[in-house]
Amino acid sequence: KMQSFNYVMLFVVATTGPLVWQHIKEHKALSWMQISIALFQCINIMICLWEMSLFFHRKLIRSQYLSMKRKYEGKLPSPMFMFEHVSFLEALTLKHWAKVWSTYSLMDPSYSELNSFGFAIDCGNAFTAIIPSILLALSCTWDIMPAKTMGLVGIISNYQMLYGTVLYFFSYVINERWKGRPGLALVIASNGVWIAGPLLSMYACYIMLSTNSYAIVREGPSISL
């Protein structure tokens, strides 16, 4: 058994690492733009899988949240979900990662409420963002489609993520959901990633679209393996 956090790191390294390795082999260059975009898009692929668990296990999430709310009385559990030990087979299930949302609901209960914006936008992202993220991560290394086409798809997909994050955070702030609840810094940090990541990806995709070239994610200091 390992901590859930270790499985997260394993997924990120196992998806991003080979992309960076193959990029260096293919293009004999170390591109920080490719590394940054591949890393963010691979993390987003993982989050899309978690968001699928939000949709498919929404009743379980509500039940877990209410139970933890009574148990911890305005505090976060210790150890946090990410530091609990689970088996490899359990870590492969969507059901296990549903606890991400029941725990997050202690900081913002909207993720356990089916009529909330947060629940709706993340369930939507689960099914609409995963394929564009896969395509963009791969296209940084291989010519899967014309750069102009990938640029357009990437701008649309990452704008959706950016817009959804900004609206969610606006909803979180305007409804003062931080009052009487823990984890404000964690909410700000986690959502900050989904502002910075899409902005960087949109910038690169705009260059791809306007130049019909992948140079923005292919060029960098020469290196060979």
Side-chain angles (χ1 to χ4, degrees):
K1 290 187 174 183
M2 293 195 302
Q3 292 178 343
S4 294
F5 178 77
N6 290 332
Y7 290 112
V8 170
M9 295 304 297
L10 182 61
F11 180 93
V12 173
V13 171
T15 52
T16 308
L19 290 175
V20 174
W21 178 271
Q22 287 298 322
H23 186 278
I24 294 172
K25 287 186 67 176
E26 291 274 338
H27 304 288
K28 303 296 188 292
L30 184 67
S31 168
W32 293 108
M33 183 66 77
Q34 181 267 337
I35 293 171
S36 300
I37 291 178
L39 176 61
F40 172 70
Q41 296 301 328
C42 286
I43 292 173
N44 191 62
I45 291 164
M46 179 182 68
I47 299 301
C48 285
L49 296 173
W50 292 3
E51 289 168 337
M52 290 180 188
S53 76
L54 175 65
F55 176 75
F56 289 116
H57 295 290
R58 53 194 180 276
K59 292 182 179 178
L60 173 64
I61 290 166
R62 179 68 178 174
S63 174
Q64 289 177 337
Y65 159 66
L66 292 175
S67 176
M68 287 192 291
K69 182 182 178 183
R70 290 190 296 268
K71 181 177 180 180
Y72 296 108
E73 299 179 337
K75 298 178 181 179
L76 292 174
S78 181
M80 285 281 283
F81 163 72
M82 282 294 175
F83 300 102
E84 295 178 356
H85 286 78
V86 295
S87 69
F88 178 71
L89 290 179
E90 188 177 359
L92 292 177
T93 66
L94 290 180
K95 184 177 181 179
H96 170 69
W97 299 102
K99 201 169 182 182
V100 168
W101 305 107
S102 50
T103 303
Y104 192 93
S105 292
L106 294 172
M107 300 179 282
D108 180 2
S110 67
Y111 280 92
S112 64
E113 298 169 354
L114 304 190
N115 61 349
S116 71
F117 176 79
F119 175 84
I121 189 64
D122 276 15
C123 285
N125 281 344
F127 300 99
T128 60
I130 189 168
I131 292 177
S133 283
I134 292 171
L135 291 175
L136 182 53
L138 295 175
S139 292
C140 287
T141 299
W142 296 286
D143 294 343
I144 293 177
M145 61 183 73
K148 184 177 292 187
T149 304
M150 187 67 255
L152 180 60
V153 171
I155 288 173
I156 293 171
S157 177
N158 284 278
Y159 177 77
Q160 171 191 311
M161 286 190 270
L162 174 65
Y163 184 65
T165 302
V166 171
L167 282 187
Y168 161 74
F169 196 70
F170 171 78
S171 173
Y172 175 80
V173 171
I174 203 72
N175 288 291
E176 299 181 341
R177 293 199 188 103
W178 73 86
K179 287 190 174 180
R181 297 189 181 96
L184 174 60
L186 185 56
V187 172
I188 293 173
S190 59
N191 283 276
V193 172
W194 267 263
I195 292 175
L199 279 174
L200 180 65
S201 298
M202 287 171 64
Y203 165 74
C205 288
Y206 171 76
I207 301 299
M208 292 179 202
L209 177 62
S210 59
T211 63
N212 196 25
S213 168
Y214 283 110
I216 185 69
V217 291
R218 301 281 173 84
E219 297 177 349
S222 297
I223 187 173
S224 59
L225 295 174

